[in-house]
Amino acid sequence: MVPFLNLDLEEFGRQEPWEPGPCSWTCGEQVSELGLDSEVLPVRGDHPAAQNRFLYVGGALHALPSGIRGLLRPSPPFSKPLFWAGLRDLTTPRGKDPDETVHSFAQRRLGPEVASLAMDSLCRGVFAGNSRELSIRSCFPSLFQAEQTHRSILLGLLLGAGRGPQLDSALIRQAQAERWSQWSLRGGLETLPQALHAHLTSRGVSVLQGQPVCGLSLQAEGRWKVSLEDSSLEADHIISAIPASVLSKLLPAEATPLARALSTITAVSVAVVNLQYRGARLPVQGFGHLVPSSEDPVILGIVYDSVAFPEQDGSLPGLRLTVMLGGSWLQTLEARGCVLSQELLQQEAEKAAATQLGLNEPPSHCLVHLHKNSIPQYTLGHWQKLESAAQFLAAQKLPLTLAGASYEGVAVNDCIESGRQAAARVLGTEPNS
């Protein structure tokens, strides 16, 4: 299960953790550079939150198989040992299409059950999206690259297909040695941007906050004019990390082809409901569970916060959960013009906690956050949109670089890495690799 939102949750002191992945060591380097090593809360490889993850299928929680024994015997909700899915992958020929939906890819290589249960749930947990619409090439590039390079997901991942540059620091070495499953910061993830802000301003960097951009225009000398609500500023180069659809409305007429391409990168809304229960206990110990669309169109998954990070329970002792709602259900309600009230979202979250975890008593505390159009959707052919945008920028020599969640990774790790790469390209410090 991969959490996908970064929030300051007030008195809960809770945030989404990071999970090590292709770009996560860039975050580790950032943490060390900002002097936050002592604030890191790791979840080591032998912790229940690292070892136990669940799917909610057929009205029950099922632990995802782990280890050789788990792969060799039937593990509900899968009717056959996952060994057979691995064997299917090893014997399936390489796909010939330049892109494919996540569902089609998983069904072809791993079988219908893995596609409809595991990959469907994963797409909902990461992208709040539909695996039958999302692109394997853009959403899970390491899996796509593994097949292209080695004809097999398993062989490709074992041999390191799609692995990025390996960074190094004392914190990264510790995380690798202890097999960290995920990690957070003691004061919440907001600690990172706060420390970064202090680091930059202490070195004379101006940081403008709460000043929406109203428009962008190109000046005769090739500089940008950035129009704000009550003022403007000029820039030699812009690195934009705002949503693609928002940027498309700010671009000048000279960039109409780019604006048209960016406007097709859509996003979905997600509601995050934090619940706290006094004197309650979970039926299982683990990181959390995901819910396939066939089981419940409303609930994407539930994270068991108090299991992974009891240090963040703070002055409000009790069991803390994060219930994630969204995807097609919210899209349907928004299309109907329904009012997405906090009461409705809290009601759905409490119902899920009662039905799926047996928490029938009302929570002692609740926080509801609705994030509209917050998760970009990398649908089939997303890579072509990025290629088109890159070609236009290069041909027109526009001093504009695209970064952030709309393009190549919605996770915090990916956004930090894309921002680092964008800055390196502008400064000419990107390594030739």
Side-chain angles (χ1 to χ4, degrees):
M1 182 174 188
V2 183
F4 51 89
L5 291 173
N6 171 23
L7 305 170
D8 165 22
L9 296 176
E10 304 169 5
E11 69 268 27
F12 279 57
R14 200 234 153 245
Q15 70 289 311
E16 299 296 338
W18 281 310
E19 302 201 35
C23 300
S24 61
W25 304 130
T26 301
C27 298
E29 228 182 20
Q30 292 282 331
V31 167
S32 293
E33 288 176 5
L34 295 172
L36 298 174
D37 289 29
S38 62
E39 299 299 307
V40 171
L41 298 176
V43 177
R44 297 176 175 85
D46 58 355
H47 193 281
Q51 296 182 336
N52 304 325
R53 305 189 177 212
F54 303 88
L55 290 179
Y56 182 77
V57 179
L61 290 171
H62 302 280
L64 288 171
S66 61
I68 297 298
R69 291 182 62 188
L71 299 178
L72 294 178
R73 60 187 180 189
S75 300
F78 305 104
S79 61
K80 297 186 296 185
L82 290 183
F83 164 80
W84 294 107
L87 184 62
R88 178 177 179 136
D89 171 64
L90 291 171
T91 58
T92 297
R94 181 187 291 109
K96 297 180 180 179
D97 294 330
D99 199 0
E100 193 173 0
T101 68
V102 173
H103 180 85
S104 172
F105 179 89
Q107 181 169 262
R108 178 171 57 81
R109 298 214 63 87
L110 300 169
E113 281 193 333
V114 172
S116 61
L117 296 178
M119 294 305 291
D120 175 279
S121 299
L122 185 60
C123 285
R124 301 184 85 217
V126 179
F127 296 94
N130 184 343
S131 64
R132 289 169 170 80
E133 298 175 356
L134 295 176
S135 155
I136 188 68
R137 178 169 180 164
S138 298
C139 293
F140 301 102
S142 61
L143 300 185
F144 177 81
Q145 190 59 44
E147 182 189 46
Q148 294 299 306
T149 306
H150 298 283
R151 196 189 55 78
S152 161
I153 297 174
L154 297 180
L155 287 178
L157 296 181
L158 285 172
L159 296 173
R163 193 169 293 167
Q166 298 302 297
L167 303 176
D168 184 58
S169 73
L171 184 66
I172 290 172
R173 290 192 295 272
Q174 180 186 355
Q176 292 171 329
E178 296 175 352
R179 298 182 299 111
W180 291 6
S181 170
Q182 61 261 356
W183 56 278
S184 185
L185 295 171
R186 194 173 304 277
L189 285 193
E190 66 172 347
T191 305
L192 183 60
Q194 287 172 347
L196 184 59
H197 182 275
H199 177 82
L200 294 174
T201 53
S202 69
R203 286 159 175 77
V205 177
S206 298
V207 180
L208 304 181
Q209 296 176 282
Q211 299 193 37
V213 176
C214 302
L216 301 172
S217 57
L218 283 167
Q219 306 301 293
E221 61 274 20
R223 291 166 58 84
W224 286 104
K225 178 181 178 181
V226 182
S227 299
L228 307 175
E229 280 189 326
D230 300 316
S231 61
S232 64
L233 55 87
E234 290 194 355
D236 296 317
H237 198 105
I238 290 176
I239 297 176
S240 173
I242 63 177
S245 60
V246 176
L247 177 60
S248 71
K249 298 172 184 175
L250 299 174
L251 290 171
E254 299 95 316
T256 296
L258 175 61
R260 191 178 299 118
L262 296 181
S263 68
T264 64
I265 301 176
T266 59
V268 296
S269 302
V270 173
V272 178
V273 181
N274 298 92
L275 301 173
Q276 186 147 16
Y277 295 84
R278 287 204 179 103
R281 299 188 64 180
L282 289 167
V284 295
Q285 290 291 294
F287 179 74
H289 70 260
L290 289 174
V291 185
S293 56
S294 57
E295 185 73 26
D296 188 332
V298 178
I299 305 300
L300 305 173
I302 302 179
V303 180
Y304 314 155
D305 303 312
S306 290
V307 177
F309 300 107
E311 302 93 337
Q312 294 175 342
D313 285 347
S315 60
L316 296 172
L319 173 65
R320 292 177 300 116
L321 304 172
T322 296
V323 183
M324 298 169 287
L325 312 88
S328 60
W329 175 69
L330 276 182
Q331 285 181 303
T332 300
L333 292 183
E334 289 173 323
R336 292 176 181 170
C338 297
V339 177
L340 302 178
S341 66
Q342 290 201 352
E343 291 76 17
L344 171 64
L345 299 173
Q346 179 175 345
Q347 179 184 352
E348 292 292 340
E350 289 185 24
K351 184 168 67 175
T355 302
Q356 299 176 15
L357 294 172
L359 300 174
N360 296 307
E361 295 298 320
S364 58
H365 294 83
C366 176
L367 291 175
V368 179
H369 292 84
L370 175 61
H371 301 270
K372 289 201 169 186
N373 302 319
S374 59
I375 310 293
Q377 300 294 284
Y378 304 163
T379 52
L380 194 64
H382 178 77
W383 68 277
Q384 293 171 309
K385 299 175 185 178
L386 301 189
E387 198 170 82
S388 172
Q391 290 173 349
F392 180 83
L393 288 170
Q396 300 298 317
K397 297 182 180 180
L398 285 182
L400 171 66
T401 302
L402 306 177
S406 287
Y407 309 106
E408 296 184 84
V410 300
V412 176
N413 299 318
D414 298 302
C415 292
I416 291 177
E417 174 63 8
S418 70
R420 184 198 66 79
Q421 291 180 2
R425 284 194 295 271
V426 172
L427 297 173
T429 60
E430 187 74 5
N432 296 321
S433 59

